[in-house]
Amino acid sequence: MRRYIYNSFVLTIVLAVVLTTCCALLCGQIVSLLSTPDEIYDSAYTYLYILFLGIPLTLLYNLTSSIMRAVGDSRTPFLFLAFSTIANIFLDLFCVTVLKWGVAGAAIATITSQGMSGLLCLIWILRNYPVLKMKKEECRVQTKAVRTLAVMGFPMGLQYSITAIGSMVMQSANNNLGSVYVSGFTAANRLKLFAMCPFDAVATGVSTFCSQNYGAKKLDRIKTGLFQGTAVAVGYGFVIGILLIFFGRDMCLLFVNSSETAVLDAGGRLLFCSGFFYWTLGILNVVRLSTQGLGFSGRAIFSGVVEMIARSFVSLVFVPIWGFTAICFTDRAGWVTAVIYIVPTCMYCLRKIERELAE
C-alpha cells in the first residue's frame, strides 16, 4: 500500500508539472477559445493564468484527501474542504476589497484556499496515520504500480474532463452574451460550486463505502449505503435549493457591488433556476461515483458523455435563441439527462453484482 501511495505522489508531481506548464503556455489560446469579450480579455487571462499556476495545489488536495478516504476517513477531508471554501470567500473579500488586487486577488484567494486544504490533509496524514509513513526501501518508482494507478485513475479523470468540456461550451456561449452576463454567471457559479461541496463529499463517502463492501461481498450493505447516501444528498439538495431560490440574488452581493443591479439580476436568475434542480445533482453525484467505485468505470464515464452532450446541445442550439434564459437551464438539462441514464444503469450493475456473488 505504501509503495502505491509513493508512486501516486510521483505520478501526481509529473502530471502537475506537465499540466501547469502546458496550461500556462496555452492560456491565451484557451481564453480566446472561450469567446471571451475583448473588454474583459486581459482580466480573464490574468485570472486563468494564476489558477493554472495553482494546479499543483489542487492536485495535492485531491491526492491527500483520496488517501484519507481510502483508509476510512471521509469526514476530515470534507471538514478541511469546507474550511478552505469559507476561507476562499473571506480571502476574496480581503484581496479584492482591502488589498485592491482585483481579478488577480480573486485568483490568488482561490489557489491559496486550495493549498490550505491540501496542506492540512498532508499534515493530518503525517501526524495521525503512522501506518502510512514510508520506509526508505518503499520509496521507489515502480513501472507496474504507475501503470496500475494510471489505468484506474485516468478513466475517472476522463469522466470529469468530458463533463468539463460541456461546461466550457456553456461558458463560451454565455461569454457571447456580453460582460454583464459574464459577471453574473461568474458570481453565481462561485456560489454554485460552494453549494456543491457537500454533494462531492457525500458521493465520495458512499463510493468508498460501496467499494469496500463490494470487496467484502456484502451486497445488502451496498444497497443500504447507496440508498441512504442518495437520500442524504437529495435532502441537502432540497434545502440548498430553497436557499438559492429565495436568497440567491442577495448571496451574489458577496462578489458583486450592490450598484451593479444588472449583474446581480443575472446571477440571481441563474441561482433561482438552479435551486429547483439541485436535488437531481444529489442523485447524479452519489449514483455515478458509486457506479465508478463498484468497478463499472465505463458506464460512469458514459454518464459524463450524456451530460456533456445535453449541456452542449442547449448551449449551441437554444442560447442563440433565448440568450441568458437558456444558460440558466443548460446545467440543469445536463444533470437531469445524466440522472435518467445513470440510475437504471446503476440498478443493472447491482443486479449483475448480485448474480456474480450468487455464483
Side-chain angles (χ1 to χ4, degrees), residues 219 347-359:
L219 182 61
M347 294 174 64
Y348 166 80
C349 294
L350 289 174
R351 287 196 295 269
K352 187 174 182 180
I353 291 174
E354 186 173 14
R355 290 194 298 269
E356 174 189 316
L357 297 178
E359 294 176 356

Side-chain angles (χ1 to χ4, degrees), residues 31-198:
V31 175
S32 298
L33 184 65
L34 293 173
S35 302
T36 305
D38 292 338
E39 62 267 27
I40 61 171
Y41 181 92
D42 291 339
S43 296
Y45 179 91
T46 299
Y47 183 80
L48 202 57
Y49 185 80
I50 295 174
L51 288 187
F52 286 152
L53 295 181
I55 285 176
L57 300 176
T58 302
L59 295 183
L60 174 63
Y61 171 77
N62 288 342
L63 177 59
T64 52
S65 63
S66 296
I67 292 172
M68 293 172 67
R69 295 185 187 105
V71 296
D73 185 3
S74 59
R75 178 175 176 271
T76 304
F78 166 70
L79 293 176
F80 287 155
L81 180 61
F83 168 76
S84 66
T85 304
I86 295 172
N88 188 11
I89 295 175
F90 285 100
L91 285 172
D92 273 331
L93 297 172
F94 178 73
C95 292
V96 176
T97 306
V98 179
L99 299 181
K100 308 296 184 183
W101 286 352
V103 170
I108 291 172
T110 298
I111 64 172
T112 300
S113 61
Q114 290 174 343
M116 290 168 58
S117 59
L119 288 173
L120 286 171
C121 286
L122 181 60
I123 293 171
W124 188 268
I125 288 174
L126 294 175
R127 290 186 175 182
N128 295 276
Y129 296 102
V131 69
L132 298 180
K133 291 183 179 180
M134 301 172 195
K135 302 175 183 178
K136 185 177 180 180
E137 61 270 18
E138 295 168 344
C139 298
R140 293 186 296 108
V141 177
Q142 296 177 311
T143 303
K144 180 182 177 181
V146 172
R147 187 186 304 116
T148 302
L149 290 166
V151 170
M152 293 175 62
F154 282 124
M156 185 176 292
L158 179 62
Q159 172 187 311
Y160 286 112
S161 297
I162 291 171
T163 304
I165 291 172
S167 297
M168 290 178 64
V169 174
M170 178 179 66
Q171 178 77 63
S172 179
N174 183 72
N175 287 349
N176 287 323
L177 300 177
S179 58
V180 169
Y181 291 113
V182 171
S183 299
F185 180 89
T186 301
N189 205 46
R190 279 184 170 274
L191 291 167
K192 182 190 82 171
L193 293 175
F194 174 76
M196 287 172 60
C197 288

Side-chain angles (χ1 to χ4, degrees), residues 11-25 55 59:
L11 184 59
T12 300
I13 290 171
V14 172
L15 287 172
V17 172
V18 173
L19 289 174
T20 302
T21 302
C22 292
C23 290
L25 292 176
I55 285 176
L59 295 183

